[in-house]
Amino acid sequence: MQYGKVEICGVNTSKLKLLKESEKRELLKIIKNGAPKEREEARDKMIKGNLRLVLSVIQRFTNRGENPDDLFQVGVIGLIKAIDNFDPDLDVRFSTYGVPMIIGELRRYLRDNNSVRVSRSMRDTAYRAMQVKEELINKNGREPTVEEIAEILEVPKENVVLSLEAIVEPVSLYEPVFSDGADTIYVMDQIGDKSDESSWLEELSFKDAMKNLSQREKQILSLRFFRGKTQMEVANEIGISQAQVSRIEKGALNSIKNSM
């Protein structure tokens, strides 16, 4: 669906205004320090001028079968929260702060509408954990550890893990997890069967394919899939950009796939 050329919630998305960063800064300062009427007008302009940001975010969630109008409305709620809580004195682009807020609001909506029932206390712990996680990401510029989240919430780290896992939306076995443009790998392709007598042959093939990788490719795959680090964490550890990590990782996976 081309969101830039359709109507969502009665809004012609092709005619949405796009604010410059300098304009956003000026409006945010008025929202914080202006007179009541000025603040209200600036807030309205800021919301309307960032609806394209909401559209760009909700496209990540359109494969879940949700109504785009509903996602858009929820995304706007996240946008408004970001506008009301953003500090214009910080040397941070508004989108850097706003996107995680919008994503968080959408995830809460999707989890609240999940068909799997989770206890209220566990759901509350999960939401508090996600809020703390967002705050730590904005503060430190990296993904926090479970221990850091648990320390702030003053709960055992096991409770944090269990609560977050409990509200994760069930994933279809046919959910795509990787695609190189030709072949797609689905969740079911990654589920092993220990009774399969050919698994040891696959393991040997995998080890042989790994030998053909460069040292950097081996290092990145090890950090990503054996130590569970994010691409951002890997980038920080080895001193390259996240985009480079993503490119090298994809190339290494393609090399292994072709070898096997």
Side-chain angles (χ1 to χ4, degrees):
M1 181 180 291
Q2 296 295 319
Y3 283 99
K5 301 180 180 179
V6 301
E7 284 197 0
I8 294 183
C9 297
V11 177
N12 186 341
T13 59
S14 65
K15 296 183 178 179
L16 288 176
K17 183 178 179 180
L18 189 61
L19 294 174
K20 298 178 181 178
E21 191 63 26
S22 58
E23 293 175 316
K24 295 178 186 179
R25 282 282 174 185
E26 187 62 32
L27 288 173
L28 288 165
K29 289 179 180 178
I30 296 174
I31 292 171
K32 182 180 180 181
N33 303 312
K37 186 176 181 179
E38 292 177 330
R39 288 202 302 267
E40 185 178 345
E41 292 176 351
R43 187 171 181 266
D44 186 57
K45 289 180 181 179
M46 189 68 185
I47 293 170
K48 292 179 179 178
N50 282 278
L51 293 180
R52 281 187 179 273
L53 183 64
V54 176
L55 289 173
S56 68
V57 173
I58 68 172
Q59 292 185 60
R60 307 182 190 184
F61 299 85
T62 54
N63 62 343
R64 299 169 182 255
E66 295 290 335
N67 187 309
D69 280 12
D70 293 339
L71 292 177
F72 181 71
Q73 291 182 49
V74 174
V76 172
I77 292 173
L79 170 64
I80 293 172
K81 289 183 177 179
I83 292 172
D84 290 343
N85 291 282
F86 184 75
D87 185 354
D89 295 329
L90 296 177
D91 187 22
V92 178
R93 292 172 64 90
F94 174 75
S95 58
T96 303
Y97 179 80
V99 168
M101 291 287 283
I102 296 170
I103 290 175
E105 200 66 31
L106 287 164
R107 284 176 175 168
R108 278 188 284 274
Y109 167 78
L110 293 171
R111 284 162 181 156
D112 281 342
N113 286 274
N114 194 343
S115 58
V116 179
R117 293 299 175 186
V118 181
S119 70
R120 179 71 183 183
S121 61
M122 187 169 288
R123 188 183 295 275
D124 287 344
T125 300
Y127 288 164
R128 288 166 54 212
M130 289 188 294
Q131 183 178 10
V132 168
K133 179 181 177 181
E134 289 178 4
E135 292 172 352
L136 290 175
I137 290 175
N138 291 329
K139 178 181 178 182
N140 302 324
R142 63 172 176 79
E143 289 274 342
T145 64
V146 174
E147 288 79 4
E148 289 173 330
I149 297 174
E151 182 179 355
I152 292 176
L153 294 178
E154 297 181 344
V155 298
K157 64 179 182 180
E158 293 80 6
N159 289 16
V160 174
V161 174
L162 288 174
S163 63
L164 290 174
E165 288 182 347
I167 63 171
V168 172
E169 186 176 353
V171 177
S172 167
L173 290 175
Y174 295 95
E175 180 86 10
V177 295
F178 173 78
S179 175
D180 61 0
D183 297 320
T184 301
I185 298 176
Y186 299 92
V187 171
M188 65 182 302
D189 296 326
Q190 296 188 322
I191 299 177
D193 182 356
K194 293 183 178 179
S195 64
D196 187 354
E197 294 180 358
S198 66
S199 61
W200 65 276
L201 287 174
E202 294 175 353
E203 183 176 352
L204 287 175
S205 298
F206 177 78
K207 289 181 178 179
D208 189 60
M210 286 286 287
K211 292 179 182 178
N212 298 323
L213 300 180
S214 68
Q215 189 60 39
R216 171 151 288 186
E217 288 174 328
K218 292 178 182 178
Q219 182 185 17
I220 288 176
L221 292 186
S222 175
L223 291 171
R224 287 278 289 127
F225 300 109
F226 294 101
R227 294 177 57 185
K229 291 183 176 290
T230 65
Q231 287 186 350
M232 182 64 75
E233 290 173 335
V234 173
N236 291 334
E237 182 164 330
I238 65 179
I240 62 177
S241 69
Q242 183 178 357
Q244 288 176 297
V245 171
S246 177
R247 178 176 54 78
I248 295 172
E249 177 185 316
K250 184 176 181 180
L253 291 174
N254 281 335
S255 177
I256 291 174
K257 178 183 173 184
N258 293 333
S259 296
M260 294 180 65

